[in-house]
Amino acid sequence: MIRPVFEPEVLPIETTGAALPRIAPYRLTPAGLRERFTQRLAWAPEPFETFPERGDPRAAAVLVPLVVRETGLSVLLTQRADHLSDHAGQISFPGGRREPFDRDATATALREAQEEVALDPARVEVLGALPDYLTGTGFRVAPVVGLVHSPFTVQADTLEVAEIFEVPLPFLMNPANHEVRVLRWEGGERRFFAMPYPRSGAGGQYFIWGATAGMLRNFYRFLAA
């Protein structure tokens, strides 16, 4: 199947999650998240909405970095460089494919975050992982969730990352901000999540969509269980 070329930002919004329950404020704190990751509650991730690819998916991992600020938790995200072959220009978590020398998905996520944004693994308190996420570009991604404690610094590897920014966790975990957009082509349909976030000062927005938004939606489902 040929994957269609499209502009996700101009596609129509079909629904939002405004009718879904909100996450309790305590659950969006370091203590609440530590507690939640020790529990084994029944919940179901969102179904994959991807373009099928041939072959086995390649193993990868991302770090979902939750930065501990005095004002609350925020999610550190990157905008990928425009010249990359996979997901060019898109908003993503630090991460990449798993290498043979990586002990596990956590090792991959921490290594990639250090390589892409110079985040010291010693500043990351790993909480656990969400279910693997299968992308349409042929990756099976393990989202590793961790708290990032001060003091820390980040610096973009400009070969891979165009920008580093943060979005408040309560914004991303508010289902009212979860849009479902739909692409129709050649008699088929694809739906995907989007979570646009306004750029401060510069105008415009960070358009968080696709696999990154899908993993954030699964994080919401995990916390809402």
Side-chain angles (χ1 to χ4, degrees), residues 21-29 32-33 169-170 173 175 220 223-225:
R22 299 285 292 269
I23 303 296
Y26 170 72
R27 188 62 71 200
L28 302 179
T29 66
L33 288 168
L169 181 62
M173 293 298 101
Y220 162 78
L223 296 180

Side-chain angles (χ1 to χ4, degrees), residues 8 40-41 51 56 61 67 94 98 141 143 192 199 218-220:
R40 295 292 180 266
L41 302 179
F51 297 104
D56 293 331
V67 181
R98 185 170 176 178
V141 182
F192 59 86
R199 289 178 180 266
N218 282 344
F219 195 18
Y220 162 78

